[in-house]
């Protein structure tokens, strides 16, 4: 079912999400379905369960619509349950990020260039995967949500000042989104 996306200022976005009980397959299926359906109408490239108000460690990433810019993402669609970054490179890169929970705000964020992540897929099989380039960026961005962090927490101080009014407008409910959204303090 399509869920509202919780906006910047919502408490659930600042919580450390709980691990999913892998034996509770019905809960997992429902969260994954809700994430996929919500992401499809919101037109993003990733979504974490806290963004739909569920403080559980599940994310989906989908780079398939970005192949005009990143052709290597043509088959990059992942569901990650209880994901953990087990390695990250010392080398970092900067990408301009945005977020469905922080509409209209974009900023450069520095993150590791490569990561190795372990997670369970939709079939509850354990996966270990090394990621780089934009796939790595998408996954890191979504995994940050599971720890209560948003991309705006990682921008340069001067950029924080520049975006402060936009963030205030979001927390004040003075924002319009093209998708169903919600602010819960």
């Amino acid at each position: 079912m399509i869920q509202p996306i919780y906006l910047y200022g919502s408490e659930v976005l600042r919580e450390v999400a709980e691990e999913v009980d892998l034996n509770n397959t019905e809960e997992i299926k429902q969260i994954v379905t809700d994430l996929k359906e919500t992401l499809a109408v919101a037109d993003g490239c990733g979504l974490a369960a806290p963004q739909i108000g569920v403080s559980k460690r599940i994310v989906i990433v989908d780079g398939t619509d970005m192949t005009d810019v990143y052709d290597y993402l043509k088959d990059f669609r992942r569901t990650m349950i209880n994901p953990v970054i087990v390695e990250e490179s010392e080398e970092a890169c900067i990408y301009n990020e945005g977020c469905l929970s922080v509409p209209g705000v974009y900023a450069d964020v520095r993150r590791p260039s490569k990561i190795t992540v372990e997670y369970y897929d939709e079939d509850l099989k354990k996966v270990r995967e090394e990621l780089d380039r934009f796939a790595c960026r998408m996954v890191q961005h979504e995994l940050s949500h599971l720890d209560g962090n948003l991309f705006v927490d990682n921008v340069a101080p001067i950029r924080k000042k520049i975006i402060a009014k936009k963030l205030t407008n979001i927390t004040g409910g003075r924002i319009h989104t093209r998708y169903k959204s919600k602010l819960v303090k």
Side-chain angles (χ1 to χ4, degrees):
M1 176 187 299
I2 297 168
Q3 300 294 327
I5 294 176
Y6 283 62
L7 297 177
Y8 179 84
S10 296
E11 288 182 15
V12 69
L13 297 177
R14 295 304 189 175
E15 295 173 9
V16 174
E18 298 175 12
E19 279 201 357
V20 177
D21 177 355
L22 297 177
N23 294 314
N24 193 342
T25 56
E26 287 306 310
E27 177 187 43
I28 293 169
K29 281 183 198 174
Q30 187 61 59
I31 295 170
V32 168
T33 298
D34 290 352
L35 285 168
K36 286 181 177 180
E37 291 178 4
T38 303
L39 183 63
V41 299
D43 195 28
C45 63
L47 199 59
Q51 291 180 274
I52 60 167
V54 180
S55 192
K56 297 286 184 175
R57 298 188 80 78
I58 300 178
V59 304
I60 59 169
V61 289
D62 186 348
T64 58
D65 285 343
M66 302 179 74
T67 55
D68 56 331
V69 179
Y70 307 110
D71 63 340
Y72 56 87
L73 294 175
K74 74 179 180 72
D75 296 319
F76 192 77
R77 184 179 284 132
R78 303 286 188 276
T79 298
M80 299 180 166
I81 301 164
N82 293 339
V84 177
I85 295 175
V86 293
E87 289 180 46
E88 58 185 40
S89 66
E90 287 184 27
E91 180 186 339
C93 61
I94 297 172
Y95 276 98
N96 193 263
E97 295 186 23
C99 182
L100 294 170
S101 290
V102 191
V105 177
Y106 301 91
D108 288 342
V109 178
R110 182 181 185 86
R111 297 189 191 265
S113 298
K114 293 182 182 180
I115 61 169
T116 301
V117 63
E118 288 183 350
Y119 60 92
Y120 293 90
D121 65 13
E122 280 186 74
D123 298 321
L124 301 181
K125 292 181 182 157
K126 192 162 192 173
V127 176
R128 182 180 177 105
E129 186 171 16
E130 186 175 299
L131 301 169
D132 62 4
R133 300 184 286 179
F134 200 72
C136 177
R137 175 60 49 143
M138 288 188 301
V139 170
Q140 288 179 85
H141 176 105
E142 296 311 325
L143 296 190
S144 291
H145 280 292
L146 302 181
D147 294 324
N149 297 316
L150 301 170
F151 83 97
V152 293
D153 300 332
N154 302 317
V155 301
I158 188 71
R159 185 68 179 144
K160 281 188 182 179
K161 288 183 179 185
I162 293 169
I163 64 175
K165 183 161 177 66
K166 288 183 178 183
L167 296 177
T168 300
N169 285 339
I170 296 169
T171 59
R174 294 178 300 278
I175 188 80
H176 175 73
T177 59
R178 65 185 185 288
Y179 44 86
K180 192 159 71 166
S181 61
K182 186 175 192 175
L183 177 64
V184 180
K185 294 182 182 184

